[in-house]
Amino acid sequence: MSATAPVETARVICRSSLVAPERAVAARAADGAQVALVRIASGELFAVGHFDPFSRANVVARGIVGTATVDGTEVDVIQSPMYKQAFDLRTGRCLTDQTVSLGVWAVHEEDGMIVLGAREVAAGTGVA
């Protein structure tokens, strides 16, 4: 009888200092997915999918980090470098097509390191 190894749900990615404010860094989650780690100006961290469903390429971490106004509320976003869609960093949702999402992972800092946790919101796409 063989035992099944436990599935890793969290992984230390890098030193916190390597993710500068208003920048993104590509990393690999424990589930094998590529993610974009993003630090906004306030210092808060986010992790969204690195795969751009519109261009079908792993490029999101090369996007522009900023804000957009949605229904009168300022939203932290990352904009794809390919076709320029903006994605909400909290939900992973595309601002112009709510059927498309990058997916979102838990992320936090611990002892000067960035720790990437489990996927919280699955990536979804209405893109053909």
Side-chain angles (χ1 to χ4, degrees):
M1 189 168 168
S2 66
T4 304
V7 176
E8 181 183 3
T9 58
R11 132 188 278 176
V12 173
I13 300 297
C14 63
R15 288 187 308 273
S16 297
S17 61
L18 295 178
V19 182
E22 300 297 310
R23 299 281 187 255
V25 174
R28 187 169 303 276
D31 65 5
Q34 291 188 35
V35 300
L37 299 174
V38 181
R39 184 184 304 278
I40 61 174
S42 70
E44 190 173 0
L45 281 171
F46 297 94
V48 296
H50 184 46
F51 182 77
D52 175 357
F54 293 96
S55 67
R56 302 219 179 270
N58 286 303
V59 295
V60 172
R62 295 181 181 178
I64 297 170
V65 177
T67 60
T69 302
V70 178
D71 297 328
T73 303
E74 193 170 86
V75 175
D76 295 301
V77 299
I78 189 163
Q79 187 175 13
S80 171
M82 298 300 284
Y83 300 125
K84 312 304 183 227
Q85 286 85 3
F87 296 89
D88 185 326
L89 289 172
R90 293 184 197 291
T91 65
R93 290 254 177 241
C94 178
L95 299 186
T96 56
D97 184 345
Q98 292 292 302
T99 66
V100 179
S101 174
L102 298 176
V104 178
W105 282 255
V107 64
H108 69 276
E109 292 182 77
E110 185 177 311
D111 298 325
M113 302 299 283
I114 293 178
V115 178
L116 185 64
R119 189 183 312 233
E120 295 180 337
V121 176
T125 180
V127 177

